[in-house]
Amino acid sequence: GLSVLKELRAAERTCLIPVILLSSRAGEDAALEGLDAGADDYLVKPFSGKALLARVRSCLTLAKLRKESADKLAEANKELEAFSYSVSHDLRAPLRAMIGYSQILLEDYGSSLPSEALRLLKTIGQSGKRMGTLIDDLLALSRLGRKELKLRHVEMRELVDSVLEESRFEGRERTKLVLQELHVAVTRRQLV
């Protein structure tokens, strides 16, 4: 029984078929072994016909609900992908303009701009490129529903370190922008 069950679960065509294991092996360990192998239910002999019918109905109802949920999830993934695609294209045009115009300003007027203005223009360009990467990542995320997921080893320390470094950088940049805005606001008030 368990080897047949494992084969059923391994095959794409039969993996969602509800399975109730009927066994003479009683006890919690036997039931857990059957459920761990992928059975939807485990029934110990002797059992009544009513008990078997009730469990079959329950398994069929759950299988139907799983299929409906899978169908809804697939539809939601399609909608998410379409939305992400649309949003990414709507965001790319102004983003390209922002990056392009800041680059033109740097190239045409960079030598005559104060150092603070140059730094701000470079920050605009870098932020625009970062946003472009985020848009690409959003599109990649939306396409995950169509791809087969593959397990792979991940070095959690490296991942955590990179996220922390990125957060620190964003925090420093955000702090600089807030301080600059405050400086500009104070300067304008002093001039008035």
Side-chain angles (χ1 to χ4, degrees):
L2 292 179
S3 60
V4 171
L5 176 58
K6 287 179 184 176
E7 287 183 34
L8 285 171
R9 292 296 181 238
E12 186 177 336
R13 210 178 74 185
T14 58
C15 67
L16 296 177
I17 293 175
V19 175
I20 300 173
L21 286 180
L22 308 175
S23 177
S24 59
R25 291 181 58 211
E28 185 178 348
D29 290 342
L32 289 175
E33 183 182 4
L35 294 171
D36 282 343
D40 294 286
D41 205 345
Y42 189 91
L43 194 56
V44 178
K45 296 176 189 176
F47 51 85
S48 70
K50 287 181 181 179
L52 178 60
L53 285 175
R55 292 185 183 215
V56 166
R57 276 193 295 273
S58 177
C59 283
L60 290 175
T61 300
L62 287 173
K64 181 181 176 186
L65 290 173
R66 275 194 294 259
K67 183 177 181 337
E68 289 171 359
S69 295
D71 291 345
K72 286 179 184 175
L73 181 60
E75 185 60 33
N77 281 338
K78 282 182 186 176
E79 289 175 13
L80 174 63
E81 185 176 351
F83 173 76
S84 298
Y85 184 80
S86 174
V87 167
S88 70
H89 286 281
D90 291 346
L91 291 175
R92 283 186 197 277
L95 186 60
R96 274 194 291 272
M98 183 181 76
I99 293 169
Y101 286 130
S102 65
Q103 189 63 40
I104 290 170
L105 285 172
L106 280 172
E107 291 171 3
D108 292 354
Y109 303 103
S111 59
S112 62
L113 291 174
S115 62
E116 181 61 13
L118 285 172
R119 191 187 71 71
L120 292 173
L121 276 174
K122 288 178 183 176
T123 301
I124 290 170
Q126 290 169 345
S127 296
K129 289 176 184 173
R130 172 93 173 103
M131 187 166 184
T133 301
L134 290 173
I135 291 169
D136 292 340
D137 291 347
L138 175 66
L139 276 174
L141 177 65
S142 72
R143 292 182 186 125
L144 283 179
R146 292 188 300 168
K147 292 184 179 178
E148 181 181 334
L149 296 180
K150 295 179 181 177
L151 294 178
R152 66 180 173 99
H153 180 75
V154 175
E155 288 294 333
M156 290 303 291
R157 170 57 66 197
E158 291 175 15
L159 181 62
V160 168
D161 287 346
S162 71
V163 168
L164 286 174
E165 182 56 34
E166 190 172 309
S167 296
R168 284 186 201 113
F169 174 77
E170 287 177 0
R172 286 191 301 266
E173 290 302 308
R174 210 173 283 132
T175 302
K176 285 180 191 175
L177 287 174
V178 168
L179 290 174
Q180 290 166 0
E181 288 173 9
L182 284 172
H183 176 71
V184 168
V186 168
T187 304
R188 283 185 181 154
R189 280 200 175 167
Q190 289 174 352
L191 293 174
V192 171

